[in-house]
Amino acid sequence: MSQKIEHTDALLQGCLQGKQRAQLEIYNRYYKAMYNTALRIVKDSAEAEDVMQESFLNAFTKLHTFKGEVTFGSWLKRIVINNSIYHYRKQRKNNEVALNDELMYKVEDNDGISSDHVFTELKAQKVMETMKQLKDNYRISLTLHLIEGYDYEEISTIMNMSYANCRTTISRAKESLRKKMILA
């Protein structure tokens, strides 16, 4: 066991005991990576900051459930990804009302640039809506791969599956998405 892992384990024990210094050290080690993960999903700096802070709070309050089967960083990243996806969907849902109002206005404008932008927005919205219909493991793996930009190896670690299974899952998810897009 490396010295850094042992030190992280000692810090986690301190966190379990409610030591703020240990929590601060864990936060300082992981906040940049977790912020970047959140930002890739929510695509808004302030929202990513909120997601990251909320994720650390969740991690510290649920730390007793951490079994050590994966590294703490992977466990924390999974929390950040789940919170990010939740916030992204919530943000999108709130923006749909505004987008529909904006679409009515832009369609009335009748200039080519606005129409192209509206078409692209509608197409992206259709893809995101269709992705919601996919099985959870398909939806999550596609989100991580296409939206967040993770490679197969990273996704296999995050989702706790083999590399080959990860590639197969993403391939099947893409095919399932294509079929659902044709039917929609």
Side-chain angles (χ1 to χ4, degrees), residues 111-122:
D111 67 1
I113 296 171
S114 291
S115 297
D116 288 345
H117 176 72
V118 168
F119 179 74
T120 303
E121 285 290 326
L122 286 173

Side-chain angles (χ1 to χ4, degrees), residues 4-184:
K4 187 173 185 174
I5 291 173
E6 286 180 34
H7 192 248
T8 300
D9 289 343
L11 287 171
L12 292 175
Q13 286 302 316
C15 291
L16 283 169
Q17 296 167 2
K19 295 181 181 175
Q20 289 182 350
R21 191 172 211 148
Q23 291 175 339
L24 182 60
E25 179 64 29
I26 290 291
Y27 178 84
N28 286 336
R29 282 189 185 186
Y30 292 99
Y31 82 93
K32 287 179 187 172
M34 298 307 134
Y35 170 80
N36 289 332
T37 297
L39 184 61
R40 280 184 280 211
I41 295 175
V42 299
K43 298 178 181 162
D44 177 74
S45 181
E47 189 75 21
E49 183 78 25
D50 289 345
V51 167
M52 180 199 58
Q53 296 290 339
E54 182 181 319
S55 297
F56 270 100
L57 286 173
N58 289 349
F60 288 138
T61 57
K62 303 286 186 188
L63 191 56
H64 63 280
T65 66
F66 175 61
K67 307 252 187 287
E69 295 167 352
V70 295
T71 64
F72 175 75
S74 295
W75 183 75
L76 180 60
K77 186 178 258 186
R78 182 173 278 167
I79 292 171
V80 171
I81 288 168
N82 289 340
N83 284 344
S84 298
I85 291 170
Y86 170 78
H87 281 274
Y88 180 76
R89 285 185 181 149
K90 185 172 147 189
Q91 180 183 18
R92 246 188 19 62
K93 199 177 273 188
N94 291 340
N95 289 341
E96 280 179 6
V97 173
L99 179 62
N100 288 337
D101 292 343
E102 186 180 316
L103 286 176
M104 289 180 160
Y105 174 73
K106 286 190 176 185
V107 170
E108 290 172 4
D109 272 354
N110 252 352
D111 67 1
I113 296 171
S114 291
S115 297
D116 288 345
H117 176 72
V118 168
F119 179 74
T120 303
E121 285 290 326
L122 286 173
K123 196 171 184 178
Q125 188 176 8
K126 182 179 177 185
V127 170
M128 293 304 289
E129 287 298 317
T130 306
M131 279 182 68
K132 286 181 183 178
Q133 300 170 13
L134 296 176
K135 295 188 327 187
D136 283 346
N137 63 330
Y138 284 6
R139 179 183 42 76
I140 292 169
S141 62
L142 266 186
T143 300
L144 292 173
H145 186 64
L146 299 176
I147 294 174
E148 196 172 334
Y150 280 101
D151 62 24
Y152 295 122
E153 191 171 315
E154 292 170 316
I155 295 169
S156 65
T157 302
I158 291 168
M159 295 185 68
N160 198 23
M161 62 173 66
S162 71
Y163 181 83
N165 190 13
C166 178
R167 288 183 59 98
T168 302
T169 299
I170 290 173
S171 176
R172 289 178 180 166
K174 286 178 182 177
E175 186 58 32
S176 179
L177 182 62
R178 276 189 208 100
K179 287 178 182 176
K180 287 183 184 304
M181 290 292 293
I182 290 170
L183 296 175

